[in-house]
Amino acid sequence: MQALVVIDMLNDFVTGVIANPRSERIIPPLAAALGRARARRDDWLVVYANDAHLPRDFELAVWGEHAMAGSTGAAIIPQLAALPGDFILPKRTYSCFYDTGLEPLLRQFGVDTVVLTGQHSNMCVRHTAADAFFRGYQIVVPEDGVEAFSDEDQASGLAYLRQVYKAETPKLEDLL
Ligand code: ZN
């Protein structure tokens, strides 16, 4: 059982206050992969892990206000909108495992492999991969399903994930 985890593909992260134009590249392959995962729900759990910040969250000192809970900026981009049967977990810092309930959700569905997608390869994806590794999950980070703010961040982010967490980095269409 695998979980397709979509991280921070939110308005603020794509076109809003911390916009990353590079993230547009991963939208079509992610949309297609989501469709295929939803067609195989016996094998795939679809999980969105979304920043939903509250005032004074520690991370705001680094990035300024972004994806504040309940705001339009904190909404999933329309091209990747969640559908019934998907799970949406709000988070307040980088790792999708930190105080989100992701771990019991994965356990309930018998997930052994997490496929991490979204943003950013060298930040939230990386911290989530660390927490997944500590818990014994197999880690897959599709190279066409994640982005960062620069070529260098993307390349070094993926290299780190391969080296430190033994992450596989296939293309999405070769995965599902
Ligand atoms: Zn944040």
Side-chain angles (χ1 to χ4, degrees), residues 92-172:
R92 291 173 58 199
T93 192
Y94 305 134
S95 174
C96 302
F97 282 89
Y98 192 84
D99 283 351
T100 61
L102 176 59
E103 187 173 14
L105 181 69
L106 298 179
R107 224 182 296 132
Q108 284 158 214
F109 281 85
V111 170
D112 52 23
T113 301
V114 291
V115 178
L116 306 179
T117 68
Q119 304 190 76
H120 303 84
S121 315
N122 58 328
M123 292 185 268
C124 289
V125 173
R126 176 165 162 175
H127 287 277
T128 302
D131 274 332
F133 182 82
F134 302 153
R135 290 162 174 80
Y137 290 99
Q138 297 286 101
I139 299 162
V140 179
V141 183
E143 62 177 359
D144 58 343
V146 291
E147 259 302 354
F149 282 122
S150 69
D151 279 342
E152 189 185 2
D153 284 351
Q154 172 79 346
S156 64
L158 287 171
Y160 186 96
L161 295 167
R162 289 187 200 105
Q163 182 190 1
V164 178
Y165 307 126
K166 209 166 185 280
E168 292 174 26
T169 56
K171 294 238 188 246
L172 275 164

